[in-house]
Amino acid sequence: MTLKSNPCLSELIRPEIQKMTAYHVPESTGFVKLDAMENPFPWPDEMKAQWLELLSKAEPNRYPDPSARELVFSLRDCFDISPELGVVLGNGSDELIQIILMAMNEDACVMAPTPSFVMYQHIANSLGLPFIGVPLNEDFSLNVPEMLSVIKEKNPAVIFLSYPNNPTANLFDDADLLAILKASNGLVVIDEAYQPFARKTFMDRAQDYEQLLVMRTVSKLGLAGLRLGFLVGHQRLTSQFEKIRLPYNINVFTQITAAFAFKHISTLDAQAAVICKQREVLLERLSSLKGVNVFPSDANFILFSLLSDSAERVFEALKQAGVLIKKMGNVPGLPAECLRVTVGSSSENKLFIEQIASIIK
Ligand SMILES: Cc1ncc(COP(=O)(O)O)c(C=O)c1O
């Protein structure tokens, strides 16, 4: 049968989507994977055995609990979330960004500093919401006067602040965040994806500001495969988001596994502490290489720039040597020739340093 192609089909798709490029995730099989801010450590054998025992009782033939009550209960306990605040679960925090933006009015605009997490703009674009990026200062701090002026002129419906920021790895100044929070009539989402490594949070202020939403993910803590994020805020807001969250967005296995992992949070916290120690070692070793400018990090990754070499060339040579890191490309607001490396285990970091030291000019 010959397929008849219909020239009008593509016109069904909104023009802003036709202009977008899909989010690209490189093939990583067989590489030392230092590109996606994952936790490199497996669980202790006994913990793994207990988990498998629990999973064996799962019922994949049944829909999951749509409200994931047991998971929410253990999550509230584990992260000390006030019973007065609402919690919305997402299939990763990516989905929470989508839920927040889907709930906004048609004429809403979205603001975030740039560079920051690409999904804020990607999802705003996909929903046809204008995105205003306010460049960071040269030291990667927030340009507060400029952000306040955008707030005054454009009244953004949602402001995303990644704390610490991806890809620059720094924590913004608390006073700067508070100035934005106080000035904004729209929602302010503090995205604490890297909180396990920064140990700073706005969670304890969530009750004080009605427009504040604190977003977390368990991905960086060591559960990236589960796809689980959570959003905490006043129930007046979270109850609205609940209406558009798809009923079974957190699957049976994620619900069981995350609730189990939260009961063993000390193991994950201990792994995060090892990663923080490794980060210091890696920062020191990278800084000692000639031609490398390393930026400070409060997260589980490090941004660095090359002073006399090409990021593309070094990235490819590292790949040839079996080490996958992240090529930043031409991101406005970042110095030229930037690369980002995730902090791995001590042997992974050692291999990365040995390889990059032999590659770099
Ligand atoms: C700042 C920030 N927020 C959110 C996410 C997405 O996390 P999740 O895996 O929960 O979708 C990332 C992932 O890299 C991130 O860097």
Side-chain angles (χ1 to χ4, degrees):
M1 197 175 81
T2 44
L3 192 67
K4 250 191 4 193
S5 107
N6 181 341
C8 299
L9 271 189
S10 64
E11 284 165 25
L12 297 175
I13 309 290
R14 280 186 278 125
E16 59 266 30
I17 292 183
Q18 297 206 33
K19 275 190 228 135
M20 290 174 71
T21 30
Y23 186 78
H24 171 70
V25 179
E27 169 59 45
S28 59
T29 317
F31 285 98
V32 171
K33 200 169 177 308
L34 301 177
D35 66 327
M37 289 82 134
E38 292 145 327
N39 171 337
F41 302 116
W43 288 355
D45 287 345
E46 201 192 317
M47 185 171 153
K48 205 166 178 179
Q50 285 174 19
W51 167 59
L52 289 174
E53 170 73 26
L54 262 186
L55 278 189
S56 71
K57 295 183 191 128
E59 293 186 308
N61 54 319
R62 302 284 176 201
Y63 282 108
D65 172 0
S67 324
R69 276 161 301 184
E70 219 176 291
L71 170 58
V72 172
F73 181 79
S74 63
L75 187 146
R76 282 184 177 278
D77 184 45
C78 182
F79 298 101
D80 217 7
I81 299 167
S82 156
E84 278 154 49
L85 291 168
V87 174
V88 186
L89 301 183
N91 191 300
S93 40
D94 286 347
E95 191 188 37
L96 292 168
I97 300 169
Q98 194 177 46
I99 290 175
I100 296 167
L101 294 186
M102 277 196 316
M104 294 299 112
N105 282 313
E106 246 175 289
D107 59 352
C109 80
V110 180
M111 177 173 92
T114 50
S116 192
F117 183 43
V118 290
M119 279 295 162
Y120 308 145
Q121 181 164 7
H122 188 84
I123 294 172
N125 287 346
S126 75
L127 295 169
L129 302 175
F131 176 85
I132 306 173
V134 178
L136 292 172
N137 295 320
E138 221 169 287
D139 63 356
F140 300 152
S141 60
L142 291 172
N143 184 341
V144 178
E146 186 54 30
M147 293 188 94
L148 294 182
S149 121
V150 173
I151 290 173
K152 207 164 156 201
E153 275 172 39
K154 309 267 181 185
N155 194 20
V158 186
I159 302 172
F160 287 103
L161 296 161
S162 168
Y163 179 78
N165 190 41
N166 173 13
T168 53
N170 58 313
L171 276 167
F172 297 130
D173 195 74
D174 284 12
D176 289 353
L177 294 189
L178 282 173
I180 290 162
L181 192 53
K182 284 180 181 154
S184 173
N185 292 316
L187 306 181
V188 177
V189 182
I190 308 251
D191 179 350
E192 298 187 346
Y194 300 96
Q195 185 276 339
F197 315 101
R199 303 257 162 218
K200 289 201 70 184
T201 181
F202 268 64
M203 194 68 93
D204 44 11
R205 301 187 215 224
Q207 253 170 304
D208 304 342
Y209 298 89
E210 230 182 347
Q211 78 276 38
L212 172 63
L213 291 162
V214 177
M215 188 168 72
R216 295 258 184 100
T217 175
V218 299
S219 296
K220 318 300 170 180
L221 187 61
L223 305 169
L226 297 190
R227 306 305 296 132
L228 179 70
F230 56 99
L231 187 70
V232 178
H234 275 248
Q235 295 194 6
R236 221 177 110 195
L237 281 173
T238 55
S239 59
Q240 300 297 332
F241 299 137
E242 271 299 309
K243 296 178 193 170
I244 53 172
R245 180 180 69 80
L246 294 177
Y248 305 114
N249 66 333
I250 311 300
N251 72 63
V252 169
F253 303 108
T254 295
Q255 291 195 24
I256 294 175
T257 307
F260 170 80
F262 294 154
K263 291 195 184 108
H264 295 80
I265 194 69
S266 57
T267 300
L268 298 181
D269 283 344
Q271 292 180 340
V274 173
I275 292 170
C276 289
K277 275 203 185 132
Q278 281 300 315
R279 172 181 69 200
E280 300 315 305
V281 176
L282 194 54
L283 277 168
E284 197 189 310
R285 300 223 169 120
L286 254 181
S287 308
S288 71
L289 297 181
K290 237 179 75 197
V292 177
N293 183 29
V294 182
F295 299 98
S297 171
D298 295 300
N300 64 339
F301 60 90
I302 296 172
L303 181 75
F304 59 100
S305 68
L306 306 176
L307 303 175
S308 51
D309 207 335
S310 137
E312 172 80 34
R313 190 192 78 79
V314 171
F315 169 81
E316 288 300 337
L318 277 169
K319 221 171 135 187
Q320 284 295 317
V323 181
L324 187 64
I325 64 167
K326 174 87 176 172
K327 177 169 62 166
M328 297 311 301
N330 266 343
V331 178
L334 284 189
E337 310 304 338
C338 266
L339 292 163
R340 190 191 69 193
V341 62
T342 302
V343 180
S345 65
S346 101
S347 59
E348 288 172 333
N349 299 338
K350 190 163 168 276
L351 179 74
F352 161 69
I353 288 290
E354 279 166 9
Q355 291 302 330
I356 196 167
S358 71
I359 289 165
I360 232 159
K361 281 194 227 153

